[in-house]
Amino acid sequence: MIPKFLKKRIFKAPMASDNSPMTEHSITPETDGSPTVPKPYSSAPINQLYRKISGQMLDVAVKPKLLGELPEFDHDDQTLRFYVLQDYSRSNSILIDLQTQEHNLPPALVGVQDSAHNIKENAAIIFLHHPHAKENQLSPRLSRLVSAILQYPELKVRLVPVSILWGRAPEKEDSLFKLLTADNWQDPSITKQLFNIGVMGRDTFVQFHPPQDLRTLINDSLKGDDDEAADLNSAIFEAATLDTNDSDATDSTPKNIINIAPNYAVVAAADGNRELVRSLQQQLNIYLDKQRASMLGPDLSDRRNLVDKLVYSPAIKHAIEAEAAATGTSAREARLLAKSYANEMVNDYSHSIIRGFYKFLTWLWTQLYDGVEVHHFERVRELAADYELVYVPCHRSHVDYLLLSYVIYKRGLSIPYVAAGDNLDVPFLGPILRGAVAFYIRRSFRGNALYTAVLREYMHTLITRNTPIEYFIEGGRSRSGRLLPPKMGMLAMTVHSQLRQSNKPVVFIPTYIGYERIMEGGTYVGELKGKPKESESLLGLLKVGRKIERIFGNVHLSFGTPLHLTDFMTKFDVPENSLPADRTDTPLDDKASAMVDNIGVKVMQHINKAAVVTPVSLLSLVLLSAPKSALDEDICREQIALYQGLAQQLPYSSDTVVTDMSPQQIINYGIKLKLIERIPHILGDIIQIAGKQAALLSYFRNNILHVFILLSFLSALVARNGRIDRSRLDNIAKQLYPFLQSELFLYYPAHGLADTLNKKIDILIAHGLIIELDDGMLSVPEANSRYYQQLQVLATPVEQSLERYFMTLALLAQQGSGNLTENEVVDLCHLLGQRLSVLYADDIPDFFDRALFTSFIGALTRLDYLQKEEETGILTFDHRINDIAHHAKYVLTSDMMQILQQVSSLNEEEIAHAITEISNKKQRKFGRKR
């Protein structure tokens, strides 16, 4: 960068600024009066040399990273385009010019001349904070463009706001560094510009925001708030009157007032539009401030101050008094306890740790994954400036914490503060994660009122400071690949905070995370089979580190459709600010509690809607449905193509992403990852699951099971019966759908189920898998045909779910109403499932996952098939249990139903022995935890 004083001595030519229009000496106007092609800001060779040398010097010292998407311009050559920056500096000017050249955008340091509209500007940059904007702090160039827009109705001007970040560390409140680097209205000093270039040059970020039409901004400003609009119009009219009576006005100054919109009188003169320009400039400043905040996050307090603010807040003072009264301790002791809780959970943000993590993870992902694919992120960026973002991802692996934060940071938004279980607060790793915006919470704190109060107040502090937040709504990692039932605790705290005091409106971002191989895969299989869960430790971290040389395929992040809290508040008639601002212990009323439950279910449904159908999940779904998990390679390709076609032609959701690999590429990819293998054979190669990989592949099949479950269910109804009437099919589906919906968080509403089923039946008919007869009957294709074999494979995935349902119902019916508690039923079904899996199935552990039996019992209770006594927890029921079980015969084979009946037939002695053993095992497990 050439210093200002040296530049003046050597070149004796002014740098391009927006203070004054270009003169005829710098650019010669066209003679035909039409808009001209932009020309360099000065034709003087010395200025061109200065621009070239400065650009080359800056290009060496500064390596900016582009955030977000590049702006899209129409191809209208009559549109003038200007870049809008908040702060004036030569380094910013040259940086933007270099970026526009690099990305083939309209150049920034090029003169903009349109003689037909009296526009002669020596650069295409507008500085909102400009050193020459002295009297009323208005941008001279913006003022001139506003005047031109008002004078010429046909003129088109597009403004492109641009954010430049010299470093991405959030600012510490009242820090000396903030004072040193703070931007102001004065021309940035040589010292500051050199500091930015020398210290922050390699940590510089540029984001071009969507173009905005200046005429639209003017009209919107004039049509805004009625009182403000009236004042603005009055000021403009008075200024116009003074301007037209000004004896010093030149002939080129317009004397008339132009109506650009009904009921709004404006004047096309720079000095006559101060209020309008001030309003526009304020809008642009606010817009860029919000974008900056979305990228950096709010100003930070240091950890000690934040802990003190929490403990001495009115809400926690009240909680401390309540704790002291309840426990008989002093207020000082209760305060110290509250402070210890705060120290336990509050994060300790460190930008150096964030930068270190970013570089380390950039390296790590290249070692572990072939790529990180991100879908639908722009919908998040659009909301970041105006909403409090709450990311609610599914939880597959410990890598989720790092991966999601990495993706968000890399794409230019502020990293969310992540709620992490205190099991991760282990030596070495714990403090690092705390510095990388993790805050730790206990796995269970039921009954601890003071801890709950501190956590609620901390959450409230983060939300009111507009800090993005992330928590895993399932509460823990899924061991089966299915979504777990949502835990409502953190969700309720978020709602509680918003009802106490609202700043920005809250929006939930459901996020799907999908892997093609997973580090904890072997551990998950062991835990599902009954092995105790391993505690997190440094040794465990080192064991994971040994896997870094392995290839884990691609990883996918897909951001689902955002859920706005205000929409739910309207739906459930929950008013804003309905809770006291200075209390954390005010309970949510019935409406708000029902709203929280509904949000939880909708989040899970939207996560599933954003699913990514990966090559590995498709392979898993196909091969695990085949006899002995093997298929002829030609048949395997056809089945994969069928599944791809079904998912693409009748998408589960518009958010669902389906791999575009060809079937052969998918097979080769699975072989590369060593998940499947090709067995050469003279009659045709065979594709089968590699040894000991079936249990692991069931995890990836379950990631996308919801996408195909209704197709599988309908296929099974037709395949197992040969022929079935559509009306009977509809009745059976109506009875069993609520249980599938509960297990897999299907989003199809029950009241519109018939239309959904008809669409899926129609596509199965179109693919030849089902034959529609004249009498309203649905039939299987011709036996031994290719379509018949495809139908049989497609019908298999739903069987496991229906087998679990029938086994549970058979156990209840056999033991009778009023004899078992909910926990006893779940425990017994888990044991029966284990036994069935070993004896008759492929020993795939997700079949007997406790969470699935809990979900089924919950659905039976919610639908009033089961009633639970409050005091004892005993389950009671009537004949309708048998009615549900009766439908199983339409889907399951008679042999399987007989096996399930035999397995679930337990006498009183066997029941008592099993319950005793389960109880002893739980006590031993609890003893180890303590």
Side-chain angles (χ1 to χ4, degrees), residues 315-357:
I316 299 304
K317 283 183 179 180
H318 180 273
I320 289 171
E321 293 171 359
E323 176 74 11
T327 60
T329 59
S330 66
R332 181 177 180 276
E333 291 174 321
R335 184 177 299 107
L336 289 175
L337 182 60
K339 190 169 185 176
S340 71
Y341 290 155
N343 277 312
E344 199 177 299
M345 65 181 70
V346 171
N347 75 294
D348 189 16
Y349 183 96
S350 169
H351 185 63
S352 59
I353 290 180
I354 296 292
R355 288 282 300 154
F357 252 122

Side-chain angles (χ1 to χ4, degrees), residues 593-874:
S593 297
M595 179 180 71
V596 170
D597 292 340
N598 187 247
I599 294 173
V601 172
K602 291 298 183 184
V603 166
M604 308 310 286
Q605 291 176 351
H606 277 63
I607 290 174
N608 266 347
K609 288 169 73 174
V612 180
V613 180
T614 67
V616 170
S617 59
L618 265 182
L619 274 174
S620 304
L621 187 63
V622 169
L623 290 176
L624 287 173
S625 301
K628 297 186 178 181
S629 301
L631 284 172
D632 176 88
E633 184 164 357
D634 290 339
I635 296 176
C636 186
R637 279 197 300 268
E638 290 175 356
Q639 199 73 25
I640 292 172
L642 170 66
Y643 282 34
Q644 279 184 294
L646 292 172
Q648 291 168 347
Q649 294 164 27
L650 187 63
Y652 179 76
S653 164
S654 59
D655 288 346
T656 306
V657 179
V658 182
T659 177
D660 57 0
M661 279 189 183
S662 70
Q664 188 61 57
Q665 288 174 327
I666 290 174
I667 291 173
N668 294 339
Y669 188 64
I671 294 173
K672 171 190 170 184
L673 296 180
K674 299 180 180 180
L675 296 171
I676 62 173
E677 55 192 8
R678 179 183 285 113
I679 307 299
H681 195 277
I682 193 170
L683 298 179
D685 292 351
I686 296 171
I687 301 299
Q688 69 175 19
I689 293 177
K692 298 182 180 181
Q693 295 293 331
L696 182 60
L697 287 184
S698 70
Y699 184 95
F700 303 111
R701 173 199 62 190
N702 294 338
N703 288 173
I704 63 164
L705 189 58
H706 63 281
V707 175
F708 298 95
I709 196 66
L710 284 186
L711 291 168
S712 178
F713 181 44
L714 296 171
S715 298
L717 284 171
V718 177
R720 301 299 176 258
N721 294 277
R723 289 188 177 188
I724 187 171
D725 185 74
R726 272 205 181 208
S727 60
R728 180 175 292 276
L729 183 147
D730 288 342
N731 289 333
I732 296 171
K734 184 178 180 181
Q735 284 282 342
L736 296 181
Y737 173 73
F739 307 114
L740 292 172
Q741 183 183 37
S742 178
E743 176 184 333
L744 296 172
F745 295 99
L746 305 178
Y747 76 93
Y748 306 115
H751 59 79
L753 184 61
D755 291 338
T756 300
L757 295 178
N758 285 333
K759 290 178 182 178
K760 295 189 180 296
I761 290 172
D762 290 342
I763 197 170
L764 291 174
I765 293 172
H767 280 267
L769 303 185
I770 293 178
I771 306 300
E772 186 174 27
L773 304 178
D774 294 337
D775 54 358
M777 299 290 289
L778 300 175
S779 172
V780 296
E782 183 179 346
N784 299 323
S785 68
R786 175 169 61 96
Y787 298 116
Y788 183 84
Q789 297 300 325
Q790 289 180 337
L791 180 67
Q792 296 296 325
V793 174
L794 183 57
T796 301
V798 76
E799 289 181 353
Q800 276 196 7
S801 295
L802 298 176
E803 288 167 6
R804 276 192 303 272
Y805 302 163
F806 183 78
M807 186 176 67
T808 305
L809 295 170
L811 175 67
L812 287 169
Q814 193 259 342
Q815 296 302 315
S817 176
N819 290 318
L820 295 175
T821 66
E822 178 180 354
N823 289 335
E824 289 172 346
V825 172
V826 171
D827 290 337
L828 288 171
C829 287
H830 175 68
L831 288 178
L832 296 174
Q834 281 182 322
R835 186 173 183 83
L836 179 67
S837 180
V838 173
L839 291 176
Y840 302 103
D842 297 322
D843 195 22
I844 295 179
D846 76 283
F847 176 80
F848 47 84
D849 185 5
R850 252 179 235 278
L852 300 178
F853 294 109
T854 301
S855 172
F856 182 54
I857 296 297
L860 288 170
T861 305
R862 188 175 64 255
L863 296 170
D864 201 36
Y865 289 105
L866 293 177
Q867 297 80 40
K868 183 167 66 173
E869 296 182 7
E870 291 186 8
E871 295 184 1
T872 63
I874 295 291

Side-chain angles (χ1 to χ4, degrees), residues 253-462:
T253 303
K255 303 291 194 298
N256 60 316
I257 297 173
I258 300 174
N259 293 318
I260 63 167
N263 303 321
Y264 294 110
V266 292
V267 59
D271 291 339
N273 297 313
R274 288 194 183 92
E275 296 302 321
L276 177 58
V277 175
R278 182 177 290 109
S279 174
L280 294 174
Q281 189 163 307
Q282 184 180 19
Q283 290 179 45
L284 292 169
N285 262 316
I286 291 173
Y287 177 84
L288 286 170
D289 281 341
K290 287 182 176 180
Q291 298 300 325
R292 181 183 179 87
S294 72
M295 290 185 273
L296 296 182
D299 286 357
L300 301 177
S301 293
D302 64 78
R303 187 168 186 270
R304 180 175 58 82
N305 286 338
L306 184 54
V307 169
D308 288 341
K309 288 178 181 178
L310 278 177
V311 173
Y312 288 96
S313 66
I316 299 304
K317 283 183 179 180
H318 180 273
I320 289 171
E321 293 171 359
E323 176 74 11
T327 60
T329 59
S330 66
R332 181 177 180 276
E333 291 174 321
R335 184 177 299 107
L336 289 175
L337 182 60
K339 190 169 185 176
S340 71
Y341 290 155
N343 277 312
E344 199 177 299
M345 65 181 70
V346 171
N347 75 294
D348 189 16
Y349 183 96
S350 169
H351 185 63
S352 59
I353 290 180
I354 296 292
R355 288 282 300 154
F357 252 122
Y358 178 74
K359 293 180 179 179
F360 168 71
L361 292 177
T362 300
W363 168 82
L364 181 64
W365 302 147
T366 62
Q367 300 299 308
L368 289 179
Y369 303 114
D370 293 336
V372 178
E373 298 188 9
V374 181
H375 310 276
H376 312 310
F377 186 78
E378 283 308 308
R379 61 179 35 155
V380 181
R381 191 188 305 281
E382 291 170 1
L383 296 170
D386 298 311
Y387 291 87
E388 166 64 21
L389 299 183
V390 179
Y391 298 90
V392 276
C394 60
H395 202 4
R396 311 288 197 203
S397 165
H398 280 319
V399 177
D400 299 344
Y401 298 96
L402 306 176
L403 186 65
L404 183 55
S405 294
Y406 174 85
V407 166
I408 293 170
Y409 183 82
K410 182 178 176 64
R411 279 157 179 75
L413 295 185
S414 175
I415 295 181
Y417 284 27
V418 184
D422 62 354
N423 58 314
L424 289 178
D425 194 9
V426 296
F428 180 72
L429 178 63
I432 293 178
L433 292 178
R434 192 188 294 274
V437 297
F439 63 95
Y440 294 112
I441 60 175
R442 297 181 180 181
R443 307 290 289 181
S444 177
F445 47 90
R446 186 184 299 275
N448 191 336
L450 184 58
Y451 184 92
T452 302
V454 174
L455 179 56
R456 282 183 174 176
E457 186 64 17
Y458 181 50
M459 284 283 292
H460 184 60
T461 300
L462 294 179

